[in-house]
Amino acid sequence: MIKKITLILVLFFSVHSYSQEIKNYAWDEKPIFNEIPEEYKNQPAVVLFDKRWIHTRVGYYAFATFAMNHTAIKINKAEEINKYNKIKAQDNGYIRDVRDFHARVIKPNGDIKILPEDKIIETEIDKVKSIVFEGVEAGDILEYYFIVKESPSSYGVEIFQKDIPVLLAEFITTKDGVTFNTFASSEFEMSNFNGKTIAKASNIPPYKEEANARNVKNLIKLIYMVSTPPVDTYRWNYFLPTYYKKPFFQYFKKNQARDFIEKLNINSLSTEEKLITIDNYIKENFDFVWRGETAKKITNLNDGKQKLKSSDLFELYGFVLKESKIQYEVVVGMSRFLGEVEGERFVLPLSHEFMYYIPETRKFLSPYEKYLSYGYPMYEIQGSKGVSYNPAQKGNIISRITFPIAPAEYTVNESQSTVSLSEDLTTATIEKTYSSSGYDGQMYRNWIKYLKENKDEKELVEAIKTKTFGDKFNLKITTYSFENQEFKYNYINTPYVVKVKAEAEESLIENAGNLVLVNLGKIIGSHINLYQETDRKWDVDLGCAKTFRHKIIFDIPNGYEVESFKDLIIDKKMEGGASKNCSFKSIAKIEGNQLIVEVFEIYNSINYPKELYQDYRMVVNAASDFTKASVVLRPKK
């Protein structure tokens, strides 16, 4: 009994001490900072340390979180002062009280100037406190800390990486009556000491955003979740069975859903045909209740165009699958550009993607993606890992799943253009057919449908121009038409086709003495370049593997002949296996009075390691070079 009482007292005073310790936190009178590494000495500023501490207590007489932030920044260049001399006690909408707020300037000679409390400003409405450092010079260290008391939150995101280096990042959690789960970037080392969970990272480099990279995922950060024992509601083996064991509807009833299935008349169809019929009807006839709109009760699910809450729409799929005796799994993925699905639990606030997987056909249904048909999963999750739950299986078993990657032959953008010049060579007339299949085709089909239903023709024409010619081509579209517009064409990957006729003045033609340069490369549309991006920090990650094929038929004007088309011939290819590489190749030849140019550009992989970046960059720049290439004409002798 004595031992039990002693243990209770130890636990009580341990909890009490952490609560008091964070409230009594104070800086060192004479701080000692780590030496700035040589590679960071030319940085405009350096974060010497960034220390944060969260203490949460929940119980009969306690419901509060204390948060401490303590930071020191050395200013190396005077022009950076205004970026870092304004500090605000974090405002996350839950602050109840700023308990402490201190700031000081440490001069290069060691002199310390503490900012007086009357320099702290509090806004009248939201009562947020802030302070401005004054008289700061290059070489000064700005140090501050604040402690806030707030209502507990079930999760938090702590981003430590900045646009300047961070020499030391530290995050501490302590608790009373709750459980912390921490998910940190690999740069952090985790430890436990005397009841504290401590995450530390050293020498965090400046953040660098790159095109076609997992920028959000790569950001050095830490996510924590707070739960109250004994139930951890976000564990997958609790979360998925709780919400997806049986379909549940808010705005219609099961008998209405059964009537819906009966009227679909799918009993005699194969599994594949059933799934296509179900998905096509729902995608064609149901839309989401958007923010600001009010959901309404549904009396007849087969009654044409209607709106449903997204949750009801998802559950409708599940109910139809269950009633139709089609085996399915609820699967959860995450955009590989944002992060990875954690194997044990749903991690807030990361955005997870929920869908259905059909084991028999090895395909996916994506209720939340209006553009995407039954087949491949959304492009952002290709190649990543997710979790899977089979409601028909006993035991609440959660499995891992790897999402498939669609090949480059699935998403194809193809065009054929006929280009002719006016007699005075001032105007080019272009007749172009542009087709898109795969992910690009499905997204473009959905986007044009939205524009036609919700926007004026001017915006529609601008979208057509951007898709077919890019956004840097000064031309006027005179006529346009579409083919294969219905959603049903997604299931057999029939390309979405737009046909346009356009006129371009001067933007395509240039005179050089008695020679005429016609920028035929521009016809395929604008293309990114990596001329300035010589180095790469992260792997290259593309939305999807894809293929581009273009054909340009140029009518050589009367009285002229081709002087040269050598700039239109390019051949660049990444070394390595054909299934993973990328390449750009263009060929040209004269047939009668026409110059025929063909372009083949392919990206067989969605990921190119940074070690292959220079080869990838070579291919991308080759495509960009082509858009600047011209055929040179000269008068016939």
Side-chain angles (χ1 to χ4, degrees):
M1 184 67 179
I2 296 297
K3 288 183 178 179
K4 186 175 182 181
I5 293 173
T6 303
L7 178 60
I8 292 172
L9 289 173
V10 168
L11 291 173
F12 173 79
F13 285 115
S14 173
V15 168
H16 181 72
S17 66
Y18 284 132
S19 178
Q20 290 301 318
E21 184 180 344
I22 192 170
K23 286 189 283 186
N24 295 331
Y25 183 89
W27 53 28
D28 295 332
E29 290 297 323
K30 294 184 178 180
I32 298 175
F33 302 106
N34 291 341
E35 183 73 22
I36 297 176
E38 196 65 36
E39 68 264 31
Y40 295 151
K41 287 185 177 178
N42 289 327
Q43 289 287 327
V46 177
V47 177
L48 301 176
F49 62 71
D50 183 349
K51 300 179 180 180
R52 309 177 196 181
W53 183 359
I54 300 287
H55 175 75
T56 297
R57 60 185 190 187
V58 174
Y60 291 110
Y61 301 102
F63 187 75
T65 288
F66 291 90
M68 185 281 298
N69 286 56
H70 186 185
T71 304
I73 302 174
K74 183 174 183 180
I75 306 297
N76 289 331
K77 297 182 180 179
E79 57 267 25
E80 296 295 307
I81 292 172
N82 287 334
K83 288 179 65 175
Y84 303 104
N85 69 339
K86 303 173 186 67
I87 308 301
K88 181 173 73 172
Q90 63 184 26
D91 178 17
N92 59 11
Y94 298 99
I95 288 179
R96 293 191 292 187
D97 183 24
V98 177
R99 304 296 295 263
D100 260 323
F101 200 159
H102 301 278
R104 64 186 179 184
V105 178
I106 304 172
K107 294 292 183 178
N109 62 4
D111 289 346
I112 297 176
K113 178 185 177 183
I114 297 177
L115 275 66
E117 288 190 13
D118 59 13
K119 293 294 184 181
I120 299 173
I121 302 170
E122 184 176 77
T123 56
E124 292 184 8
I125 298 176
D126 51 15
K127 303 299 181 183
V128 175
K129 292 184 178 181
S130 61
I131 197 166
V132 177
F133 288 90
E134 297 176 346
V136 178
E137 300 173 314
D140 289 352
I141 295 173
L142 311 183
E143 185 183 5
Y144 63 89
Y145 76 89
F146 56 80
I147 301 168
V148 298
K149 181 182 180 183
E150 58 192 16
S151 298
S153 175
S154 59
Y155 64 87
V157 180
E158 302 289 335
I159 298 173
F160 284 90
Q161 193 168 27
K162 309 175 189 300
D163 57 359
I164 55 176
V166 178
L167 301 191
L168 174 64
E170 181 181 87
F171 183 73
I172 298 174
T173 58
T174 51
K175 61 192 179 183
D176 176 16
V178 299
T179 298
F180 270 93
N181 287 292
T182 303
F183 310 92
S185 299
S186 59
E187 288 80 3
F188 283 94
E189 292 184 359
M190 306 297 297
S191 63
N192 291 282
F193 176 74
N194 198 23
K196 293 181 179 179
T197 299
I198 305 169
K200 280 188 178 183
S202 301
N203 293 330
I204 297 175
Y207 175 67
K208 181 182 180 182
E209 185 170 340
E210 294 179 319
N212 294 321
R214 304 183 188 188
N215 290 304
V216 175
K217 179 183 181 297
N218 294 333
L219 188 64
I220 298 175
K221 59 189 177 297
L222 184 147
I223 299 172
Y224 64 89
M225 294 181 65
V226 184
S227 58
T228 52
V231 179
D232 186 350
T233 57
Y234 288 104
R235 289 188 69 86
W236 289 122
N237 58 7
Y238 179 89
F239 181 88
L240 289 174
T242 299
Y243 291 101
Y244 298 104
K245 183 74 173 178
K246 295 180 180 179
F248 170 79
F249 320 114
Q250 285 183 280
Y251 290 91
F252 58 89
K253 298 178 180 179
K254 285 186 178 180
N255 64 322
Q256 294 169 330
R258 290 191 176 99
D259 289 342
F260 170 74
I261 298 169
E262 184 178 348
K263 291 176 182 177
L264 287 178
N265 195 25
I266 59 176
N267 287 338
S268 62
L269 302 180
S270 67
T271 300
E272 181 79 357
E273 291 169 332
K274 287 178 181 178
L275 291 164
I276 290 174
T277 302
I278 294 165
D279 189 51
N280 187 58
Y281 186 90
I282 294 177
K283 289 287 173 69
E284 286 275 31
N285 290 281
F286 289 97
D287 199 358
F288 300 119
V289 175
W290 299 105
R291 182 177 296 178
E293 297 178 334
T294 302
K296 298 178 181 179
K297 292 286 185 181
I298 300 294
T299 57
N300 182 1
L301 288 166
N302 300 87
D303 190 21
K305 305 288 185 181
Q306 301 184 74
K307 288 198 169 188
L308 280 175
K309 292 194 70 171
S310 58
S311 57
D312 272 7
L313 204 58
F314 190 90
E315 297 289 353
L316 178 60
Y317 272 94
F319 185 80
V320 174
L321 293 173
K322 185 176 181 180
E323 291 288 306
S324 303
K325 295 181 171 51
I326 298 174
Q327 291 294 316
Y328 70 91
E329 297 173 10
V330 178
V331 295
V332 186
M334 183 182 297
S335 168
R336 54 200 155 88
F337 298 97
L338 297 181
E340 297 175 351
V341 174
E342 209 278 327
E344 297 295 325
R345 58 173 46 80
F346 185 113
V347 178
L348 292 168
L350 295 175
S351 178
H352 293 67
E353 307 296 341
F354 289 76
M355 66 211 84
Y356 294 102
Y357 174 63
I358 312 301
E360 180 183 341
T361 63
R362 303 176 72 178
K363 294 181 181 180
F364 296 81
L365 286 164
S366 303
Y368 294 126
E369 300 300 319
K370 280 289 293 179
Y371 79 92
L372 189 59
S373 70
Y374 159 72
Y376 282 107
M378 55 192 295
Y379 71 87
E380 296 95 332
I381 67 173
Q382 292 181 98
S384 65
K385 293 185 182 296
V387 294
S388 174
Y389 164 65
N390 183 350
Q393 189 176 12
K394 294 181 180 180
N396 297 345
I397 297 172
I398 304 300
S399 305
R400 294 292 271 174
I401 184 173
T402 299
F403 294 101
I405 300 173
E409 295 77 23
Y410 176 68
T411 301
V412 179
N413 291 278
E414 192 166 5
S415 73
Q416 179 166 312
S417 305
T418 301
V419 184
S420 58
L421 303 182
S422 60
E423 288 188 11
D424 60 2
L425 307 184
T426 60
T427 303
T429 299
I430 307 164
E431 294 184 18
K432 186 170 189 175
T433 299
Y434 196 105
S435 66
S436 300
S437 63
Y439 287 115
D440 287 352
Q442 295 198 33
M443 285 189 285
Y444 193 49
R445 184 175 277 118
N446 184 67
W447 177 235
I448 293 298
K449 179 177 181 290
Y450 169 80
L451 291 175
K452 291 170 78 172
E453 293 175 353
N454 298 280
K455 302 295 180 179
D456 58 26
E457 188 181 23
K458 181 180 178 181
E459 196 163 338
L460 173 63
V461 171
E462 190 62 31
I464 295 169
K465 175 185 170 183
T466 301
K467 178 66 175 178
T468 53
F469 293 103
D471 56 359
K472 298 177 181 178
F473 202 157
N474 182 21
L475 51 71
K476 179 183 178 181
I477 292 179
T478 55
T479 63
Y480 63 87
S481 62
F482 303 101
E483 294 179 4
N484 308 328
Q485 299 179 69
E486 293 90 341
F487 192 87
K488 65 181 181 181
Y489 289 108
N490 290 326
Y491 300 103
I492 52 176
N493 202 22
T494 301
Y496 188 83
V497 178
V498 57
K499 294 183 176 181
V500 300
K501 186 174 182 179
E503 291 184 352
E505 296 182 1
E506 298 179 355
S507 61
L508 204 65
I509 305 157
E510 180 183 351
N511 292 309
N514 69 332
L515 300 178
V516 178
L517 282 67
V518 184
N519 183 194
L520 287 184
K522 201 171 188 178
I523 299 296
I524 70 169
S526 56
H527 202 292
I528 65 167
N529 70 72
L530 298 170
Y531 299 141
Q532 305 302 321
E533 291 78 6
T534 55
D535 299 316
R536 187 77 181 184
K537 179 177 177 61
W538 305 113
D539 289 352
V540 174
D541 279 277
L542 305 179
C544 61
K546 64 176 65 177
T547 299
F548 297 89
R549 291 194 289 263
H550 303 287
K551 186 175 184 179
I552 303 168
I553 303 171
F554 175 62
D555 294 331
I556 302 170
N558 292 331
Y560 283 84
E561 60 186 0
V562 174
E563 165 82 9
S564 172
F565 54 76
K566 62 181 178 62
D567 289 347
L568 291 164
I569 300 175
I570 300 174
D571 190 359
K572 299 293 183 182
K573 183 178 181 180
M574 175 185 286
E575 297 298 326
S579 63
K580 293 289 185 181
N581 67 14
C582 57
S583 61
F584 181 92
K585 184 176 183 178
S586 58
I587 58 176
K589 61 182 177 180
I590 296 175
E591 292 184 356
N593 68 332
Q594 292 181 325
L595 174 65
I596 312 296
V597 183
E598 293 184 85
V599 174
F600 309 92
E601 183 180 4
I602 186 167
Y603 298 89
N604 279 306
S605 179
I606 60 172
N607 175 267
Y608 293 97
K610 61 183 179 181
E611 291 78 15
L612 298 176
Y613 174 66
Q614 294 306 328
D615 282 354
Y616 170 81
R617 177 172 174 261
M618 172 189 66
V619 172
V620 171
N621 286 342
S624 184
D625 291 343
F626 179 84
T627 64
K628 302 174 182 63
S630 298
V631 57
V632 182
L633 304 177
R634 68 184 177 199
K636 286 184 178 179
K637 296 179 181 178

